[in-house]
């Protein structure tokens, strides 16, 4: 039997701390090592106790939840599940590499889902919930956009979730069950299909020119017609992509090329 995960609760509301303790008591592989009422207590307790997991409120006296994380050395930062009544900090929480964002009030099953994610992280096993988490992050990005199209994509980098700004993307290519998002000299995998991403990206900015790639229009520096009905795109930086024949009409339309 492996040792139980050591958990610290940080919340300025006594009732909220009690509810977390009651729910945590139902998980035999979780051991509560303490509770804190404010950010200063949290920083001290995390440094002294080195918990495996912190259930962390966002808004509280002293440093808020994000201030607590900023005050910790990177090598001493535990896994974190934010627990809060404020929905406005969800994206910021995931940018801080939080495992989850529990919005009060939440039910027992939702809490168990968060603990399952923490167990996977603790065991260094790829989480079966990653696809669900990525979908929720993509949904957050979509809701924050003033248009029907996303302003950023979410890619998985090891245990972290990285946000990729749409304006930084050069092109996207199919990679088996994933799509590789190319940003400068780097590429990042996102678990999406090309068709799903095509619907999420603004067609005034991106062009699906092949079943295996989507290109950002303002990255195209030269276009070379190729027989029969194909085009070669030379992108900023020198990348060369060749369109598919079946995409000829939409390439011509998007780039204003003669038919």
């Amino acid at each position: 039997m492996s040792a139980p995960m050591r958990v610290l609760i940080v919340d300025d509301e006594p009732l909220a701390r009690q509810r977390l303790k009651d729910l945590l008591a139902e998980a035999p592989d979780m051991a509560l090592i303490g509770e804190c009422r404010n950010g200063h207590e949290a920083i001290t307790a995390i440094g002294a106790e080195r918990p495996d997991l912190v259930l962390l409120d966002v808004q509280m006296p002293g440093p808020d939840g994000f201030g607590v994380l900023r005050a910790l050395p990177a090598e001493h930062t535990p896994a974190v599940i934010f627990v809060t009544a404020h929905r406005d900090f969800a994206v910021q929480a995931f940018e801080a590499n939080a495992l989850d964002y529990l919005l009060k009030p939440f039910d027992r099953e939702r809490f168990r889902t968060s603990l399952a994610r923490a167990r996977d992280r603790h065991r260094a096993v790829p989480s079966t919930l990653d696809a669900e988490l990525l979908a929720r992050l993509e949904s957050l990005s979509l809701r924050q956009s003033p248009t029907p199209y996303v302003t950023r994509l979410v890619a998985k980098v090891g245990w972290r979730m990285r946000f990729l700004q749409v304006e930084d993307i050069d092109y996207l290519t199919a990679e088996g069950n994933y799509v590789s998002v190319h940003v400068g000299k780097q590429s990042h995998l996102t678990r999406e299909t090309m068709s799903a991403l095509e619907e999420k990206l603004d067609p005034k900015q991106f062009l699906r020119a092949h079943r295996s790639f989507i290109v950002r229009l303002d990255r195209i520096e030269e276009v070379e017609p190729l027989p029969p009905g194909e085009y070669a795109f030379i992108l900023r930086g020198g990348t060369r992509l060749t369109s598919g024949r079946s995409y000829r009409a939409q390439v011509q339309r998007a780039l204003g090329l003669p038919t």
Side-chain angles (χ1 to χ4, degrees), residues 51-176:
D52 300 310
L53 173 66
V54 177
L55 303 177
L56 183 61
D57 193 8
V58 173
Q59 293 191 328
M60 56 186 171
D64 65 8
F66 300 110
V68 169
L69 296 184
R70 286 193 297 269
L72 300 174
E75 64 272 18
H76 295 162
T77 302
V80 171
I81 295 173
F82 278 99
V83 185
T84 178
H86 304 278
R87 66 174 61 248
D88 299 335
F89 303 104
V91 172
Q92 189 178 349
F94 287 116
E95 287 176 336
N97 298 314
L99 282 178
D100 206 348
Y101 191 86
L102 280 177
L103 189 63
K104 301 174 184 176
F106 53 86
D107 59 22
R108 177 176 278 99
E109 195 57 38
R110 181 69 182 86
F111 185 76
R112 288 173 176 169
T113 298
S114 288
L115 291 188
R117 186 168 293 128
R119 291 186 187 97
D120 284 342
R121 168 73 67 86
H122 189 59
R123 296 167 185 159
V125 175
S127 175
T128 57
L129 302 171
D130 279 342
E132 174 203 340
L133 179 57
L134 286 169
R136 289 171 54 219
L137 289 172
E138 290 285 11
S139 176
L140 284 167
S141 294
L142 180 59
R143 285 203 300 269
Q144 290 197 341
S145 173
T147 73
Y149 305 107
V150 295
T151 57
R152 55 185 177 179
L153 301 179
V154 183
K156 188 169 180 289
V157 182
W159 284 111
R160 301 186 175 206
M161 303 299 173
R162 177 169 296 175
F163 289 91
L164 306 174
Q165 299 299 323
V166 163
E167 66 251 25
D168 295 333
I169 296 171
D170 298 318
Y171 62 101
L172 307 93
T173 55
E175 301 286 346

